[in-house]
């Protein structure tokens, strides 16, 4: 009995001692971190742990995740996307070479860009330019890295700025919207029966009609007819167009031009050029507005593709990233207002001047307008040239058969081998992009 009493008394004393120790520890903690100073102390500690060093600071030869602001004229290049084997001259192949020569990345990363988590915010097609495209990658950052990279780049490609980002930043996935512009001569809208020259000037009625057609593209639609390799039931064919406008006409080098501006969440291969091509056909009277309405339906429609000359990427938006990280006091937002003057200078000297000169000297749009007569602007069979049941236009059918026979005859011609390869590269770019994204997501996780 006595042993039980002593054991209970000992247990009671032990519990009292532990309670006293907890009270003492609480007092010590209160003394070290007073309640009124806790917010400031936590902010200082958090900043000290996660503060990002400025460009050129930190350990040498350490790779950092960055965003490069690019401006380039796409004339003579087979789009922006890096092609394995470097068989075709692209913007990214030139950039990779310059990064290696500047000591920013090793050669093995240039050969396999996914190793450095490389990604582009927007993909541009053959001959398409960009004023402010953004690529993200891991590279060695030095104080004068931009000057070093640009010294190994041709004048038509320039790195405008370099900005440190979060480790998980992806220029494509974090891009919430993209704005493209298309500069074209106003004689593109002249009625089909009218004889046109470079002295043509647009009328107010035609300009209003252009704006009405462009407005019909706004909203979410199934754009499977405005790209290559997309089926009507493919969910990725649905895209949201935020805005599509036509500016006021202006004269440059004796030719009257207008600039079309389209803003959307994302675009597919040839998407914008086909929207503009169909709009021009409708305004000129080659087809009716019903063709545009019919293009949303699950049929394959014959739609022309406007030249790539006048198209250029104008601006990118990173609203989600800026909201989450741009105001945390640690990272810089993906906004480039301080470089606007440099971007405008590049656009004027390298892009707009090239478009107006090529149009004046070569008549690129004039030549393309002559091809509109070969388009059906109606439902076609998936097989090229297959006539529809009850076809009532034998001239169109003969033209299609003639073109098909010409393609077959030239298939084995050495001079057309490269052209066939170029076409295959363009048609496979969507699949290559998807594969690259999958590899990036596997290897580059935060």
């Amino acid at each position: 009995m006595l042993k039980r009493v002593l054991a209970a008394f000992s247990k009671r004393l032990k519990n009292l001692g532990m309670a006293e120790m907890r009270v003492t520890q609480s007092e010590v903690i209160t003394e070290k971190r007073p309640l009124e100073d806790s917010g400031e102390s936590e902010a200082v500690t958090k900043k000290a742990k996660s503060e990002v060093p400025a460009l050129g600071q930190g350990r040498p030869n350490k790779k950092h995740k960055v965003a490069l602001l690019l401006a380039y004229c796409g004339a003579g290049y087979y789009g922006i996307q890096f092609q394995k084997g470097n068989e075709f001259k692209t913007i990214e192949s030139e950039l990779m070479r310059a990064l290696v020569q500047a000591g920013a990345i090793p050669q093995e990363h240039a050969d396999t860009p996914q190793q450095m988590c490389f990604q582009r915010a927007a993909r541009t097609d053959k001959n398409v330019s960009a004023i402010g495209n953004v690529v993200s990658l891991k590279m060695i950052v030095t104080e004068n890295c931009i000057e070093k990279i640009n010294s190994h780049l041709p004048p038509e490609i320039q790195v405008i700025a370099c900005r440190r980002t979060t480790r998980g930043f992806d220029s494509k996935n974090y891009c919430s919207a993209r704005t493209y512009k298309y500069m074209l001569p106003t004689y593109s809208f002249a009625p089909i029966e009218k004889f046109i020259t470079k002295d043509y000037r647009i009328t107010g009625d035609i300009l209003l009609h252009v704006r009405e057609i462009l407005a019909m593209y706004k909203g979410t639609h199934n754009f499977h007819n405005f790209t290559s390799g997309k089926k009507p039931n493919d969910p990725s064919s649905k895209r949201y167009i935020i805005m599509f406008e036509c500016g006021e006409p202006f004269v440059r080098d004796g030719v009257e031009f207008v600039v079309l501006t389209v803003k959307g969440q994302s675009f597919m291969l040839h998407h914008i050029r086909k929207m503009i091509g169909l709009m021009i056909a409708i305004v000129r009277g080659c087809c009716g507005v019903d063709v545009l309405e019919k293009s949303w339906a699950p049929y394959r429609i014959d739609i022309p593709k406007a030249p790539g000359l006048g198209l250029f990427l104008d601006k990118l938006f990173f609203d989600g990233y800026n909201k989450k990280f741009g105001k945390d006091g640690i990272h810089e937002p993906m906004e480039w207002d301080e470089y606007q003057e440099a971007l405008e200078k590049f656009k004027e000297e390298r892009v707009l001047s090239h478009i107006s000169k090529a149009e004046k000297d070569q008549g690129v749009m004039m030549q393309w307008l002559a091809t509109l007569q070969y388009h059906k602007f109606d439902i076609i069979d998936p097989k090229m040239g297959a006539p529809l049941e009850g076809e009532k236009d034998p001239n169109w059918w003969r033209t299609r058969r003639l073109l098909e026979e010409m393609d077959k005859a030239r298939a084995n011609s050495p001079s057309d081998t490269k052209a066939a390869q170029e076409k295959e590269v363009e048609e496979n770019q969507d699949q290559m992009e998807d594969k690259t994204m999958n590899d990036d997501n596997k290897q580059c996780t935060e």
Side-chain angles (χ1 to χ4, degrees), residues 176-436:
S176 56
R178 300 152 175 88
T179 296
Y180 284 82
K181 293 190 176 184
Y182 193 94
M183 179 177 166
L184 75 167
T186 57
Y187 64 68
S188 309
F189 309 128
I192 191 172
E193 66 275 4
K194 184 179 179 62
F195 178 77
I196 57 174
T197 65
K198 295 178 181 178
D199 296 326
Y200 176 84
R201 298 295 182 263
I202 195 171
T203 64
D205 292 342
I206 295 179
L207 188 61
L208 179 61
H209 190 31
V210 170
R211 289 168 175 165
E212 290 174 348
I213 300 301
L214 293 179
M216 296 179 67
Y217 285 113
K218 293 171 61 177
T220 302
H221 301 285
N222 189 343
F223 286 100
H224 69 98
N225 274 307
F226 295 82
T227 186
S228 300
K230 294 283 186 181
K231 295 183 179 180
N233 58 353
D234 190 336
S236 65
S237 298
K238 291 187 177 181
R239 302 296 167 110
Y240 176 55
I241 305 299
I242 301 170
M243 173 265 291
F244 210 159
E245 297 177 348
C246 176
E248 293 296 325
F250 61 93
V251 178
R252 181 171 181 143
D253 296 331
V255 180
E256 186 179 61
F257 291 90
V258 291
V259 175
L260 311 179
T261 304
V262 56
K263 180 180 180 181
Q265 287 182 337
S266 60
F267 300 94
M268 297 176 288
L269 182 67
H270 303 152
H271 187 174
I272 298 174
R273 293 165 62 186
K274 284 205 167 189
M275 286 195 295
I276 294 173
L278 181 55
M279 179 272 295
I280 292 175
I282 295 173
V283 174
R284 283 177 60 82
C286 300
C287 63
V289 182
D290 61 302
V291 178
L292 179 56
E293 295 290 350
K294 197 182 297 183
S295 68
W296 315 135
Y299 309 109
R300 176 59 62 188
I301 308 294
D302 183 16
I303 295 178
K305 179 177 62 179
L309 173 67
L311 182 63
F312 59 93
L313 174 67
D314 187 63
K315 191 175 182 180
L316 300 171
F317 300 85
F318 297 90
D319 298 337
Y321 179 85
N322 292 338
K323 183 178 180 180
K324 187 174 182 179
F325 300 106
K327 299 180 181 180
D328 61 1
I330 302 171
H331 305 93
E332 292 182 274
M334 285 294 112
E335 296 174 348
W336 315 94
D337 294 340
E338 64 268 37
Y339 302 102
Q340 195 60 40
E341 184 177 349
L343 293 172
E344 289 295 329
K345 182 180 179 181
F346 186 93
K347 178 167 67 174
E348 176 63 31
E349 295 180 354
R350 295 290 175 181
V351 179
L352 300 186
S353 60
H354 168 72
I355 295 173
S356 61
K357 187 176 186 304
E359 193 57 54
K360 181 181 179 181
D361 298 343
Q362 305 170 26
V364 176
M365 181 59 74
M366 188 79 74
Q367 295 179 33
W368 177 80
L369 292 175
T371 66
L372 288 178
Q373 61 180 316
Y374 300 115
H375 289 274
K376 178 63 178 177
F377 303 105
D378 205 345
I379 302 174
I380 59 175
D381 192 89
K383 294 182 179 180
M384 176 63 177
L388 294 171
E389 185 178 354
E391 176 60 53
K392 297 180 181 181
D393 188 354
N395 291 327
W396 175 81
W397 168 235
R398 292 192 191 99
T399 301
R400 284 292 183 182
R401 287 297 300 271
L402 178 62
L403 292 174
E404 186 178 24
E405 290 173 3
M406 291 174 62
D407 289 340
K408 289 180 179 179
R410 296 185 321 200
N412 298 325
S413 175
S415 60
D416 286 338
T417 302
K418 189 171 183 179
Q421 292 176 345
E422 293 172 10
K423 183 178 180 181
E424 184 179 356
V425 167
E426 286 189 351
E427 291 178 349
N428 291 335
Q429 277 186 339
D430 276 335
Q431 289 83 352
M432 293 174 63
E433 182 76 9
D434 294 339
K435 184 178 184 302
T436 303

